[in-house]
Amino acid sequence: VLVLKGKIREVGEKILASNGKKVDFASALASCEDAGGTLATPMNEEENKAILGIVKKYNQYAYLGIKEGEDSGQFKYLNGMPVNYTKWHQNEPNGKRTEKCVEMYTDGSWNDKKCNLHRLIICEF
């Protein structure tokens, strides 16, 4: 149990977990799906804070389960539904179709980013 301390968090109906590894967006999503979950996706402030706790523990930016849709600047959950909770950093999103993924900064705010950078894997179950 001690090995998992800080690596797993419960928030509402979700369980969040990270192995501390950094990979690109597609690999992060595949890792979460292989484990039976998906990328951590904050649906409210409480969930954003829980994900932030893991981001702070590893002091690494993390990909979120949100991507830019077909329309520039329209971000959607991985299931295609429009995002109804956001915590964009000031002047974000600003990638205008070149930054289709979303990362969480170590202050809990979000930034649109290219999907090929290595970011912390945080899964939700």
Side-chain angles (χ1 to χ4, degrees), residues 74-95:
Q74 294 292 330
F75 285 82
K76 298 178 182 289
Y77 297 119
L78 297 179
N79 65 8
M81 296 296 292
V83 173
N84 59 9
Y85 164 83
T86 61
K87 186 118 179 163
W88 293 110
H89 194 75
Q90 188 174 355
N91 301 320
E92 298 293 345
N94 65 4

Side-chain angles (χ1 to χ4, degrees), residues 41-102:
T41 308
M43 308 295 267
N44 55 48
E45 185 67 20
E46 182 185 19
E47 291 180 7
N48 203 74
K49 283 182 180 165
I51 295 166
L52 175 59
I54 296 173
V55 166
K56 282 185 170 179
K57 175 185 172 29
Y58 290 100
N59 196 30
Q60 300 287 340
Y61 296 173
Y63 280 124
L64 299 176
I66 300 168
K67 283 192 86 172
E68 189 172 27
E70 295 304 309
D71 298 327
S72 181
Q74 294 292 330
F75 285 82
K76 298 178 182 289
Y77 297 119
L78 297 179
N79 65 8
M81 296 296 292
V83 173
N84 59 9
Y85 164 83
T86 61
K87 186 118 179 163
W88 293 110
H89 194 75
Q90 188 174 355
N91 301 320
E92 298 293 345
N94 65 4
K96 297 180 182 67
R97 305 195 65 60
T98 63
E99 299 178 333
K100 293 190 158 289
C101 289
V102 178

Side-chain angles (χ1 to χ4, degrees), residues 23-25 63 101 113-118:
V23 295
D24 63 46
F25 181 87
Y63 280 124
C101 289
K113 202 68 180 173
K114 289 186 178 349
C115 301
N116 63 346
L117 301 166
H118 285 209

